[in-house]
Amino acid sequence: MDSSGSDWAGSGLAWLTGMSDGPPDHSRGEVLARADAVTAELAAHLGVQVDVVSALTGRAALLGLHRNGRISAGGATRLMPTRDGWWALTLSRPDDIAAVPALVEADAVPDDPWPTVAQWAAPRDADDAVDRAALLGLPAARLGETTAAPPRVTRRGSRAAPRSAAGLLVVDLSSMWAGPLCGQLLADAGATVVKVESPARPDGTRAGGQAFYDWINHGKLSYAVDFDRNHDRLRALLVAADIVIEGSRPGALARRGLSPEALPGPDGRVWLRVSGHGADSQRAAFGDDAAVAGGLVGTSGSGPVFCGDAIADPLTGLESALAAAYSLRRGGGEIVEVAMSAVAASYAALPIAPSQAPKSAAPPALPPRAAPAAALGADNAAVDALVDQRNSVPC
């Protein structure tokens, strides 16, 4: 792909960036060029061909999303001014909405909480607003708070010979977009990918549009298991895995004795941790607020606007797959930690072009239709048999 600004305009990303009543924002064209370079590396190291435009804009096309300026394309995140800068808050889950009265220190708030939140934040420092939100478990970020950083790699276990993903067993414990996209790319590269979900709390994207869920999870085996009541089954699966993709809060698996430090595994195992703000942070994050933390925003209007659709998610999915590929080439035996906000910051550091251009921008195109993803728990018996077979073979 040509990395010129016209590709940004034709990709749907410019069309998704900018004020809802203003022109498309062309300022972040270099993001597409950088992401295209990542997909070239994925082709070289995983042998998988990735349509970078589809990867970055496919969800917006499938869900019919539009640019909304300081309201995210998905609608759950807002950019708001404070006394000393800008911050973003995401209210996407029922628990998030329920926590708003505590955030703004009120007994109750209107059905539309956003004006109240904006009024509460305006006289405060951005750091104070983010700190209070984080204390309540709300995904929030100060604009540009995070610096760019590569994945953090820690040796854990024995190395294997350098290898590709073909034929490996991947256990995908992640949800939403970034981790599942990484898992999808590994499946496309020939790995057997098992998507693990709790029957009580399945991946939220199952209820957010079947076309998107299918697109990001087709071809994976579905394994439904209670993380607490069926601890032994999950442990056996993780022990058998060549690659584990984890997107849980820090300590969630360790408390169950299911961390890479506690579990044996095959030589060369790669344990990939995908988080919002780093594996040491307790803060929740989604793609739009993580992008704001990294400073990856558009520049049209009188202040920052959201860039694309939850763009830190697909960028992190691509970068995580590449980090896994690099680890396999080194022989694995590693914990690899990728933070969405740090990925966003690395893209935000790229040169910025003028936000307006003389040419128009095309809306995002629908990605190729995906086969239906497996129903929740449809492959439990097959996965159990695979695990028994693998764990009965001496390493």
Side-chain angles (χ1 to χ4, degrees):
M1 173 183 293
D2 186 332
S3 62
S4 67
S6 62
D7 287 323
W8 175 262
S11 69
L13 285 162
W15 191 86
L16 286 167
T17 307
M19 300 301 290
S20 58
D21 57 353
D25 187 323
H26 296 261
S27 62
R28 290 294 185 175
E30 289 300 319
V31 168
L32 184 58
R34 160 76 176 273
D36 193 37
V38 172
T39 63
E41 287 288 291
L42 287 171
H45 293 282
L46 281 183
V48 60
Q49 300 298 321
V50 182
D51 181 341
V52 66
V53 169
S54 180
L56 298 184
T57 65
R59 188 184 86 142
L62 289 167
L63 302 184
L65 305 182
H66 302 267
R67 67 179 180 274
N68 285 311
R70 294 185 188 102
I71 302 174
S72 64
T77 309
R78 304 279 175 112
L79 264 164
M80 296 168 284
T82 67
R83 180 169 58 189
D84 63 346
W86 292 83
W87 78 308
L89 176 69
T90 298
L91 301 176
S92 64
R93 304 164 296 188
D95 288 350
D96 298 334
I97 302 295
V100 171
L103 174 69
V104 300
E105 302 168 90
D107 293 332
V109 296
D111 290 341
D112 178 3
W114 288 111
T116 302
V117 173
Q119 183 179 20
W120 170 83
R124 288 170 167 76
D125 291 343
D127 284 341
D128 292 340
V130 171
D131 287 346
R132 183 164 180 80
L135 186 66
L136 295 168
L138 295 171
R142 176 172 55 83
L143 178 60
E145 67 173 88
T146 304
T147 57
R152 185 168 71 178
V153 178
T154 305
R155 283 291 307 275
R156 173 62 59 177
S158 301
R159 291 198 185 279
R163 53 187 171 166
S164 68
L168 300 185
L169 175 61
V170 178
V171 175
D172 183 3
L173 299 172
S174 66
S175 61
M176 306 306 288
W177 194 354
L181 173 57
C182 175
Q184 188 64 58
L185 296 173
L186 293 171
D188 291 344
T192 297
V193 179
V194 178
K195 181 172 179 63
V196 180
E197 299 170 80
S198 165
R201 297 190 65 178
D203 189 330
T205 56
R206 280 189 180 272
Q210 188 63 39
F212 174 65
Y213 184 85
D214 290 343
W215 178 57
I216 213 70
N217 290 295
H218 69 275
K220 301 177 184 178
L221 302 175
S222 176
Y223 194 69
V225 59
D226 186 298
F227 281 36
D228 294 310
R229 297 174 63 182
N230 300 110
H231 175 277
D232 290 343
R233 288 172 57 195
L234 182 56
R235 185 182 192 279
L237 176 59
L238 293 173
V239 167
D242 299 296
I243 301 175
V244 176
I245 305 171
E246 173 194 346
S248 54
R249 294 283 186 92
L253 292 180
R255 287 192 295 272
R256 297 174 171 88
L258 300 175
S259 68
E261 293 83 3
L263 292 179
D267 289 349
R269 182 178 64 191
V270 178
W271 195 289
L272 183 66
R273 285 176 170 155
V274 180
S275 65
H277 297 281
D280 297 330
S281 172
Q282 296 292 328
R283 289 167 58 187
F286 289 91
D288 285 303
D289 55 85
V292 170
L296 185 53
V297 294
T299 61
S300 58
S302 58
V305 294
F306 285 105
C307 178
D309 168 34
I311 197 165
D313 267 311
L315 290 177
T316 301
L318 294 174
E319 295 281 355
S320 296
L322 185 58
Y326 285 160
S327 182
L328 291 174
R329 292 293 180 180
R330 291 190 296 265
E334 296 176 340
I335 300 171
V336 181
E337 299 170 358
V338 184
M340 290 198 296
S341 59
V343 169
S346 70
Y347 283 83
L350 298 171
I352 300 176
S355 62
Q356 295 188 28
K359 55 182 68 67
S360 61
L366 284 170
R369 185 176 180 85
L376 181 63
D379 302 299
N380 274 27
V383 172
D384 283 336
L386 176 61
V387 169
D388 289 344
Q389 179 185 33
R390 289 178 64 98
N391 286 343
S392 67
V393 177
C395 297

